[in-house]
Amino acid sequence: MACFKGKDLEKIGPVRSSRHYFLDYALENDAIYVHFGWSPQAESDISTYKVNNINGITQSSTDFWRVKDKKSPHNAVTSTKKILEMATSKGYRTTSNAKSVLNYKAEEIDLEEGTIANTVKIPYSKLHTVEYKYNAETKKYERYARGTKQTDWDTKETISTKNIIITFAQNYTLQDVENKDRQGLKNIGDKKGYYITNGKAIEIVASKSSRTEKTIYKDLAGNIIDVNDGNTFIQICPIDAEVVVE
């Protein structure tokens, strides 16, 4: 799930259907949640938690549209301009005074006591592994999926990030009315993980007291971590994932 703040993008996508655990992170970021369809539990939870949401399936073809260079269901897109127009028409707030979940700092943060983190491998399953490789010149991590470097849909620029946060949580198969083996996520409580930036990694603990409360990321001494200014990829991994940081 991508979170945007202060961006003006002509194409955002592919926009996919909602899963209930994404709501936890839309709520903690005080965000408008945009999706294209939903699972049964996501539909129920959106109503229960009164999530400000925009469902592309119910909108017009000028608000969400399908592009021809990708196959369905991976080709539904929208734009920030359209999202703001739809949000306004629904009476949603389009600004927020909520404090950021992460404690970003303008000055450069180097994890002096951290371990080397030039390569990060995250196996989600036998078929899908995410990998990050550190570029010392740009001081960012370049992202790979299934062995292929990921690039921007239009510009073809390499997808990169300044920060990586990894947390481990137990997942399980939901028993819903459609029996499609959708997953649940036990993300409440204290979860172990890593904060990675500028070629170094430290161990952290991510604490979330409820679905609507912000996740708090602390180092092992109990201090809330400071995060480098820039984009951040948060990877929630299976609890037994054999993550490699080296």
Side-chain angles (χ1 to χ4, degrees):
M1 183 181 76
C3 292
F4 299 103
K5 183 177 181 180
K7 296 293 184 181
D8 183 11
L9 302 172
E10 294 183 357
K11 185 170 79 174
I12 299 173
V15 185
R16 299 299 306 276
S17 58
S18 172
R19 296 295 181 265
H20 66 282
Y21 42 80
F22 284 129
L23 303 178
D24 302 20
Y25 302 99
L27 288 165
E28 72 172 24
N29 282 283
D30 196 25
I32 298 167
Y33 183 50
V34 182
H35 56 101
F36 203 90
W38 42 29
S39 66
Q41 186 166 343
E43 180 182 10
S44 174
D45 288 357
I46 283 173
S47 175
T48 298
Y49 288 93
K50 297 180 173 56
V51 179
N52 286 352
N53 79 104
I54 297 171
N55 185 356
I57 285 181
T58 65
Q59 299 297 137
S60 74
S61 59
T62 59
D63 293 327
F64 288 80
W65 59 96
R66 292 193 181 274
V67 294
K68 296 180 179 180
D69 57 332
K70 287 185 182 292
K71 294 181 179 180
S72 179
H74 307 278
N75 63 347
V77 300
T78 186
S79 68
T80 47
K81 178 182 178 181
K82 289 297 182 181
I83 289 171
L84 290 172
E85 288 176 354
M86 289 182 282
T88 300
S89 71
K90 294 177 184 296
Y92 297 158
R93 288 183 295 106
T94 56
T95 60
S96 175
N97 294 321
K99 184 180 178 182
S100 173
V101 173
L102 296 173
N103 193 30
Y104 285 104
K105 294 292 183 181
E107 62 272 15
E108 194 77 3
I109 297 165
D110 290 309
L111 305 174
E112 302 291 350
E113 304 301 320
T115 58
I116 296 297
N118 290 323
T119 302
V120 181
K121 295 181 181 179
I122 307 169
Y124 280 92
S125 68
K126 292 180 180 179
L127 294 176
H128 186 61
T129 295
V130 170
E131 185 174 3
Y132 293 94
K133 296 181 180 180
Y134 184 57
N135 184 324
E137 291 186 7
T138 63
K139 303 185 80 172
K140 293 183 178 181
Y141 286 87
E142 297 172 348
R143 181 180 164 95
Y144 294 72
R146 301 184 184 183
T148 301
K149 180 181 283 189
Q150 292 194 290
T151 57
D152 181 88
W153 192 344
D154 287 330
T155 68
K156 307 306 177 185
E157 293 178 357
T158 299
I159 300 297
S160 63
T161 185
K162 182 65 174 177
N163 307 292
I164 305 166
I165 290 177
I166 299 173
T167 62
F168 298 88
Q170 183 179 349
N171 61 299
Y172 57 94
T173 300
L174 285 174
Q175 302 299 318
D176 64 27
V177 295
E178 296 182 347
N179 291 318
K180 291 187 175 181
D181 292 336
R182 295 187 178 97
Q183 295 295 289
L185 184 67
K186 294 185 177 181
N187 61 344
I188 305 304
D190 295 341
K191 308 298 177 184
K192 295 180 179 179
Y194 298 95
Y195 169 49
I196 302 166
T197 192
N198 287 356
K200 291 286 189 72
I202 60 170
E203 293 184 63
I204 63 169
V205 175
S207 301
K208 190 170 177 65
S209 59
S210 75
R211 294 185 66 183
T212 59
E213 291 298 317
K214 289 181 171 62
T215 306
I216 300 172
Y217 300 92
K218 295 183 178 181
D219 61 26
L220 296 188
N223 304 305
I224 294 176
I225 62 171
D226 292 332
V227 177
N228 269 317
D229 190 24
N231 60 331
T232 302
F233 275 52
I234 298 177
Q235 308 275 174
I236 303 176
C237 307
I239 202 162
D240 57 352
E242 295 181 0
V243 172
V244 176
V245 179
E246 58 187 12

